[in-house]
Every structure is written in structure tokens, then in C-alpha cells.
Amino acid sequence: MKLVVVTAGLTQPSSSRLLADRLAEAVTRQAQAEVRVIELRDLAVDIANNFVTGFPNARLREAIEAVTEADGLIAVTPIFSGSYSGLFKSFFDVIDNGALAGKPVLVAATGGTARHSLALEHALRPLFAYLRAVVVPTAVYAASEDWGGAADAFTDGLGPRIARAAEELADLLLHRRPRTGTEEEEVVPFEQQLAALRPLG
């Protein structure tokens, strides 16, 4: 099983990458998966060139294929001006709008203040709904105050939300009908995939 993590953090290290790593760790504790992390800052020039030329270079093409062929996706962006970053949106703009159909996706974001947490619902969730992905019910937002004393530690309040979102994605990964390679993939309705989730306590 392949789990791909896309993170649009610009600094190194970035809070978006740290959140992405925590989410991936929580998912793989419940569903065995090979994790691949794609740092979009490393592809920024390639993405821009794709818009100019109309074609992805080899490095960008490989990243796109990793995302479209994954069994599940974790997508994390910093919030700028109340929405996802331009780099984040540009990457998903170069992916065919049917390539993520039926794919389980966990969306998450980071920002300086909790006031931007609604960007998950008014920006990220509609983006992946347009791409016909299956977005898990729980989205995860980490504001500056959610970080603990250690550089990579979260406060207790965020931990349960990470665990719940990871459980939802793991359940979808475990119950998703695998591709056979010989027939067109059936897109399982969102309601049917949600019904497969274990009761969340």
C-alpha cells in the first residue's frame, strides 16, 4: 500500500512538514503503508515551467505519477491570506482533474493563528471535492499555539485530532477496493466509503 504526503511548506524545517510527518506516522500505526513525501518547494520552478511550456519535466512528472498512483494521500499546506498557498494550488492544477477520483485524502494546514482554521473547509475541502477525491471527515489545523515546548511536539489538544483523522484515513485505505489494472476503476460513493469507517469513540 502506498501513502503519499504532499507538503507545501516553504521553510526548512517547516511546520507543515512536521505536521505531515505526525499524520503519516499516525496513519502507518494503523495501516501498513510505504510512505513517500513530496516537498513542493523543491518543485516550484518545475511547476512554473509546466504552466509556461504545457509539459512537466521528468522530476515533476515523477511526482505527479506518485500522487496519482498512491492508495491514499495526505495534503498539507500553510495558510496564506486565508487560503492554501499558491504553490500548493499550482501543483494540483497540473494534475488531471480526474486523476484523484475516489482517492482517500486527509487534508491539513498550518498557520499563525487559529482564526485561519476555516480555510480547511472553505478552500481545501472544496478543492479536493472538485477533484472527486474522498476527503476524510476530520481535517487537521495546527496554529502556532498548538506547538509544544519541543520543536516537533504538539500540545495535548491537537494530538486527539491527529489520531482521529489518521484513523479515518487508515480505515478508508484498508477498505478501499484495489485496482485490478484490467478494468476501469469504480468510484465508490462518498457515503458508502464513510459507512465503512469503524465507529469512532
Side-chain angles (χ1 to χ4, degrees):
M1 189 181 302
K2 296 180 180 179
L3 175 64
V4 170
V5 180
V6 175
T7 175
L10 299 179
T11 59
Q12 191 172 11
S14 74
S15 57
S16 295
R17 173 61 190 269
L18 293 172
L19 176 58
D21 288 345
R22 293 298 174 271
L23 290 165
E25 289 169 8
V27 172
T28 55
R29 282 197 293 267
Q30 302 177 63
Q32 290 187 346
E34 173 188 340
V35 178
R36 159 89 185 268
V37 178
I38 297 175
E39 293 267 14
L40 294 185
R41 69 167 173 264
D42 297 332
L43 298 171
V45 174
D46 304 318
I47 293 169
N49 286 336
N50 183 91
F51 283 109
V52 174
T53 65
F55 299 97
N57 63 14
R59 187 166 65 162
L60 179 57
R61 185 184 309 112
E62 196 271 337
I64 293 171
E65 289 175 354
V67 168
T68 57
E69 294 173 4
D71 296 291
L73 180 65
I74 295 173
V76 187
T77 179
I79 298 300
F80 298 136
S81 301
S83 188
Y84 37 61
S85 74
L87 179 59
F88 183 86
K89 178 62 161 56
S90 295
F91 176 72
F92 287 100
D93 280 345
V94 302
I95 296 177
D96 182 82
N97 63 9
L100 301 185
K103 191 180 301 297
V105 177
L106 190 167
V107 296
T110 58
T113 171
R115 290 195 303 271
H116 293 306
S117 62
L118 287 178
L120 287 163
E121 303 304 325
H122 72 68
L124 271 77
R125 198 177 292 278
L127 170 64
F128 287 99
Y130 171 77
L131 297 172
R132 298 166 52 206
V134 178
V135 184
V136 302
T138 302
V140 180
Y141 180 84
S144 296
E145 59 264 30
D146 290 315
W147 297 94
D152 61 349
F154 291 117
T155 59
D156 292 340
L158 192 61
R161 193 166 184 84
I162 289 175
R164 184 166 66 249
E167 181 178 3
E168 291 167 357
L169 181 60
D171 281 339
L172 287 179
L173 289 173
L174 293 171
H175 290 93
R176 185 176 187 230
R177 187 177 70 82
R179 297 185 181 190
T180 64
T182 60
E183 60 186 16
E184 184 177 349
E185 181 181 4
E186 175 188 347
V187 178
V188 180
F190 179 68
E191 294 80 6
Q192 185 176 335
Q193 294 211 28
L194 286 182
L197 293 174
R198 296 192 300 267
L200 301 178

